[in-house]
Amino acid sequence: MKYHEMTSDRIDRVKFRDLLHDHFDMSDDFFMDRVFRAFDKDSDSFLSQEEWVRGMSIFLRGSLEEKIEYCFNIYDLNNDGYISREEMFQMLKTTVRPTGEEELEDYVKDLVEITIKMMDQDKDSKLSLEDYRTAVQKERLLIEAFGPCLPPRQKLEEFSDSLFNSSTTTSLP
């Protein structure tokens, strides 16, 4: 689906997932759903033009702080203001593959423990937004520690180029 072909007033989950896949090579169903939910502020299962523009603004050109808050909200699966060990385990289990003989469960448990030690600033065994922010500011690569929720740089640049260098008039969905 070409971006400029999308002309409806609202975007549903299927169109959005197609866009993430076609333009940003995102293919993890779990995280594509979480990205949709982050964009869908009124939780009506559709993206209005305003939700689309605000979400894409952060997705494409957001500041580090905006992206930290966006990613944290994606990773806070139960919306309680924390990323718990259980949430980390659930997300990492879908995205990592052990090398060698180690079992997936044990491998993911080890990763969760390493992550808690590295990112949990206040040592309460869960990550608050402040814990996450501090860790990401120290090590930028941790922004997507639990799974893909931002576009790869190359795809972001290709998408931006197609939007801003296109001779075809683009209409927002």
Side-chain angles (χ1 to χ4, degrees):
M1 170 189 339
K2 299 267 189 234
Y3 176 75
H4 64 274
E5 292 172 351
M6 297 169 35
T7 59
S8 67
D9 290 343
R10 301 182 332 162
I11 298 175
D12 65 19
R13 189 177 307 266
V14 172
K15 263 191 201 176
F16 185 75
R17 289 167 63 107
D18 287 347
L19 181 122
L20 290 179
H21 182 267
D22 294 349
H23 293 282
F24 302 109
D25 285 343
M26 294 180 86
S27 59
D28 185 297
D29 291 335
F30 178 82
F31 284 103
M32 286 193 299
D33 183 58
R34 294 297 301 168
V35 171
F36 182 85
R37 289 178 190 208
F39 276 50
D40 185 18
K41 296 296 186 190
D42 63 7
S43 300
D44 68 350
S45 297
F46 291 94
L47 301 182
S48 67
Q49 286 184 358
E50 181 177 341
E51 289 169 326
W52 167 255
V53 170
R54 287 179 189 268
M56 288 303 285
S57 174
I58 293 169
F59 195 70
L60 297 174
R61 299 185 184 251
S63 68
L64 178 59
E65 181 58 32
E66 288 171 321
K67 288 180 179 181
I68 287 171
E69 289 182 20
Y70 160 83
C71 291
F72 182 85
N73 288 329
I74 287 174
Y75 299 147
D76 178 13
L77 302 180
N78 63 2
N79 300 313
D80 68 350
Y82 296 95
I83 304 170
S84 68
R85 288 176 186 269
E86 294 77 20
E87 289 168 320
M88 289 179 211
F89 184 85
Q90 183 178 349
M91 290 181 286
L92 290 171
K93 191 173 176 183
T94 68
T95 59
V96 300
R97 297 290 170 253
T99 57
E101 298 294 316
E102 195 167 13
E103 293 292 322
L104 178 61
E105 300 275 325
D106 293 334
Y107 185 76
V108 173
K109 284 178 186 175
D110 290 346
L111 278 177
V112 168
E113 291 309 312
I114 291 166
T115 303
I116 287 287
K117 285 178 184 172
M118 185 184 313
M119 297 178 79
D120 183 18
Q121 305 298 312
D122 58 11
K123 307 300 180 208
D124 62 355
S125 295
K126 57 187 175 184
L127 300 182
S128 65
L129 175 57
E130 192 56 38
D131 290 334
Y132 181 74
R133 177 185 292 118
T134 300
V136 170
Q137 288 171 339
K138 286 181 186 175
E139 176 52 68
R140 176 75 168 76
L141 292 174
L142 292 173
I143 196 160
E144 290 186 284
F146 305 111
C149 56
L150 291 168
R153 180 175 304 282
Q154 179 185 354
K155 292 298 177 180
L156 185 138
E157 290 170 2
E158 289 172 10
F159 184 78
S160 292
D161 287 348
S162 72
L163 271 180
F164 300 115
N165 297 329
S166 173
S167 60
T168 307
T169 303
T170 58
S171 60
L172 291 176

